[in-house]
Amino acid sequence: MTALAPPRPETPRPESLRPARLGPSDVVRVGAVGLRTRPLRAFLSALGIAIGIAAMVAVVGISASSRAGLDRALAALGTNLLTVSPGSTLTGEAAQLPLSAEEMVSRVPGVESVSAVGRLSDAKVYRSDRIPEVETNGIVTYAARTSLRAAIGAELADGTWLNAATARYPAVVLGSAAAERLGVAHAGPDTQVLVGGDWFTVVGILRPAPLAPELDAGALVGWRAARDGLGFDGHATTVYTRSAEPELDAVRGVLGATANPQAPGEAEVSRPSDALAAKRAAGEAFTALLLGLGAVALLVGGVGVANTMVISVLERRAEIGLRRSLGATRGQIRGQFLAESLLLSALGGAGGALLGLTVTTGYALSQGWPAVTPPWAMAGGVAATLLIGALAGLYPAVRASRLSPTEALATP
């Protein structure tokens, strides 16, 4: 019996032929070929991108850290401090805050702490009883609450502050200017000054108080001691309040009416501290600076990616022609070079973000600032790098896909 010849495979018809499709993983592998075969160029290109992103992240991070340090310093100065004091009556006479002013103000929502002083106009301060009465040196005596130092953020240069015990007895804390004018360098049980005709022991000396400069030339005695020995009537002449910063405007709007509900117009309320205005102005300036420098850094990184990819297309025309002659479509060529551009951008962006974080942390710690790197700066830097990398690689990718196999293979 004659053996039958095996059937010949059916030749596919031209219209049934379709180019092979590349999955996402295949596109990544093909795009990585250019990076693996040219590691030095890929490293240098990624390094250029990384430096641009690191510069952006470092500028944002250092600026944010500097701003955090400034905010901390301004907060220490009391950006949330408000004061209320008596104004004038309709007849032009000096008004007076009610005795319940402090208690009423402490009930205002948003108020965190309250303290007060009362001015004693008739209690003059002298270093000794040999000083002529007219030589007061401009020193003013105040009755002070024990919570005053914390409210105004004052610091002691020497000695201690008034407490529950010393506030009842003839003890005084001198402001920085008052101590200098009286010639008092140190506080102690042997140091006394004449206040309102009575001897008071100097228990403390304050440093200059930037939030309450009027107290620098003051002699501060306890509230009860002033009432019992100096004829103090108990009415506060200045009430100091600290509020949460978001609540500051709301607190200021009701502070006068709360301190003196019977005559709100006779209470004068201070405006927010100049430090708060400086803080807000600094925030706006830093925001504009960050946006400008970040945009420049990203532009530099995008130019670097575009330059690298254009050179890569020019050098790899033979490779492109070979792939086209083996059946690669224009879309696959575009995908290869776009993937290569994105991989290059991703490597540079991730490395730059880490480098920028390291630089920011090191510099902030060396300056004593809080190390702050906004997450949006790192994530935005990498995302923007990928976007710019895609845009920068688009033209070279399109240009590579338009090369005909014969033209590409004929390139020396």
Side-chain angles (χ1 to χ4, degrees), residues 17-348:
L17 295 177
R18 290 185 175 87
R21 294 183 177 180
L22 297 179
S25 60
D26 298 322
V27 173
V28 173
R29 283 198 299 269
V30 172
V33 170
L35 304 183
R36 291 198 305 267
T37 55
R38 296 170 176 81
L40 181 59
R41 171 169 292 176
F43 171 76
L44 293 177
S45 300
L47 180 62
I49 299 170
I51 291 175
I53 299 304
M56 186 203 73
V57 173
V59 166
V60 173
I62 291 174
S63 299
S65 300
S66 175
R67 178 180 177 181
L70 176 63
D71 289 348
R72 185 169 63 181
L74 292 176
L77 289 177
T79 58
N80 55 353
L81 184 71
L82 292 173
T83 63
V84 56
S85 56
S88 302
T89 64
L90 294 177
T91 59
E93 299 177 352
Q96 193 176 56
L97 292 177
L99 294 174
S100 61
E102 295 173 69
E103 181 182 357
M104 296 296 292
V105 168
S106 65
R107 299 176 183 176
V108 175
V111 171
E112 298 176 344
S113 63
V114 178
S115 190
V117 297
R119 180 166 178 164
L120 304 173
S121 301
D122 297 330
K124 307 302 180 181
V125 183
Y126 303 96
R127 186 68 177 90
S128 73
D129 55 2
R130 304 290 182 178
I131 305 297
E133 292 186 3
V134 294
E135 296 182 8
T136 61
N137 283 321
I139 300 173
V140 180
T141 304
Y142 294 95
R145 296 291 190 185
T146 56
S147 58
L148 177 66
R149 177 171 170 261
I152 64 174
E155 297 182 358
L156 285 164
D158 190 40
T160 60
W161 177 247
L162 298 171
N163 53 44
T166 57
R168 301 168 54 190
Y169 298 103
V172 62
V173 175
L174 299 177
S176 59
E180 182 179 357
R181 294 171 190 175
L182 291 172
V184 177
H186 300 284
D190 296 332
T191 306
Q192 294 184 326
V193 294
L194 201 62
V195 180
D198 296 327
W199 290 103
F200 278 65
T201 300
V202 179
V203 296
I205 299 174
L206 292 176
R207 296 183 186 276
L211 294 182
E214 67 277 6
L215 300 182
D216 289 344
L220 307 172
V221 301
W223 202 271
R224 181 171 175 179
R227 188 180 56 193
D228 294 343
L230 300 176
F232 178 48
D233 61 5
H235 290 272
T237 54
T238 303
V239 177
Y240 299 90
T241 68
R242 279 188 181 272
S243 309
E245 189 172 313
E247 305 293 335
L248 199 60
D249 293 334
V251 170
R252 186 173 186 268
V254 300
L255 198 57
T258 304
N260 194 353
Q262 294 182 351
E266 296 179 2
E268 294 183 353
V269 180
S270 68
R271 60 186 178 86
S273 170
D274 290 337
L276 179 60
K279 180 178 179 180
R280 293 172 176 172
E284 296 175 358
F286 275 126
T287 299
L289 174 66
L290 301 185
L291 292 177
L293 292 178
V296 172
L298 289 177
L299 179 61
V300 171
V303 172
V305 173
N307 181 58
T308 299
M309 296 310 299
V310 168
I311 294 176
S312 181
V313 170
L314 294 177
E315 290 185 345
R316 297 162 63 187
R317 298 180 73 177
E319 174 192 337
I320 296 169
L322 181 60
R323 288 200 64 205
R324 293 282 284 123
S325 64
L326 293 177
T329 64
R330 291 185 173 183
Q332 291 170 349
I333 297 296
R334 285 195 299 268
Q336 173 188 353
F337 281 89
L338 275 177
E340 184 174 334
S341 176
L342 289 173
L343 287 173
L344 193 62
S345 300
L347 291 174

Side-chain angles (χ1 to χ4, degrees), residues 375-386:
W376 64 263
M378 298 189 64
V382 175
T385 304
L386 292 175

